[in-house]
Amino acid sequence: MKIKSIKIALILITSLALLSIGGVACVGEINAQASEETESEYPLLVERFAQKFDLDPDEIMDFLDELKEERITNAENRFEERLDELVEDEKITGDQKEAILDKKVELKIFKEDLEDMTISEAREAMKNMHEELKDWVEENDISLRNFFPKDEAHAFGLRGFTNHRSFFKR
């Protein structure tokens, strides 16, 4: 049973790592396109909204930043509430909860560091992080099953990307 939990953890971590690297590459591509198509510092979408609705681009950017911060705050609150539920249900300990929160901060910093790396450097860093996370999950005796119940695990594609190729072709 523990081996299965570790396999699920590894698949999830690998999937998240690949999605993070892909996201960094896509964001860089989008930013490059936006700066090529516009003469200002604003993305093309913001410029077009500003023109269409006669708005100040700075106000649009401020509004988008507020929305982003609000979404991040809500997601962090939901995550901590989930951890509190798991502690209350005695599925994890208080120490495990703190370890998870610490690891989350560490992974956020790691993700930010990836943005400054070349693809090959990021790939190597992801491999190393994958190994570290494998060891960390075992050391802290944490099962990701607590975070992704069976029906949600399937929705996240933990059985592999091959089952969800049509999703990625959209």
Side-chain angles (χ1 to χ4, degrees):
M1 189 65 140
K2 189 173 182 175
I3 292 174
K4 192 171 186 179
S5 296
I6 292 171
K7 284 183 182 179
I8 291 172
L10 293 176
I11 291 169
L12 177 64
I13 291 165
T14 303
S15 301
L16 290 173
L18 291 172
L19 290 173
S20 294
I21 290 172
V24 169
C26 290
V27 168
E29 187 72 26
I30 289 169
N31 287 341
Q33 289 175 354
S35 64
E36 290 173 7
E37 295 175 12
T38 64
E39 294 180 12
S40 72
E41 68 216 49
Y42 304 106
L44 182 61
L45 182 64
V46 171
E47 277 190 19
R48 293 228 174 127
F49 267 106
Q51 290 170 356
K52 175 96 175 162
F53 299 108
D54 194 30
L55 298 169
D56 179 19
D58 286 326
E59 289 180 19
I60 295 171
M61 292 300 292
D62 290 344
F63 175 72
L64 292 174
D65 289 340
E66 286 174 28
L67 284 178
K68 181 180 178 182
E69 288 302 316
E70 185 178 311
R71 289 182 63 210
I72 290 170
T73 300
N74 288 339
E76 288 173 353
N77 289 340
R78 285 191 312 270
F79 184 74
E80 288 201 36
E81 287 170 7
R82 179 69 179 139
L83 289 177
D84 290 338
E85 289 173 16
L86 291 170
V87 171
E88 188 176 302
D89 295 342
E90 297 180 355
K91 293 184 177 183
I92 64 172
T93 65
D95 290 341
Q96 286 174 318
K97 174 188 170 187
E98 291 306 314
I100 291 167
L101 291 173
D102 291 344
K103 184 55 75 174
K104 185 177 179 202
V105 170
E106 183 183 326
L107 290 173
K108 182 178 180 181
I109 294 167
F110 176 75
K111 182 181 174 193
E112 291 168 0
D113 291 344
L114 285 178
E115 294 174 8
D116 297 329
M117 296 180 190
T118 65
I119 299 274
S120 59
E121 291 171 337
R123 196 174 291 139
E124 187 63 31
M126 293 301 298
K127 275 188 204 176
N128 294 338
M129 180 55 76
H130 178 88
E131 291 301 316
E132 287 177 33
L133 287 172
K134 220 172 31 172
D135 295 340
W136 179 83
V137 167
E138 287 180 27
E139 288 170 13
N140 290 283
D141 194 28
I142 294 174
S143 169
L144 291 179
R145 182 171 307 238
N146 294 323
F147 298 95
F148 300 100
K150 188 174 183 177
D151 57 333
E152 290 180 26
H154 181 72
F156 280 101
L158 294 180
R159 292 181 146 182
F161 286 113
T162 56
N163 295 340
H164 301 287
R165 287 185 185 192
S166 61
F167 174 78
F168 291 105
K169 289 183 181 179
R170 292 182 191 170

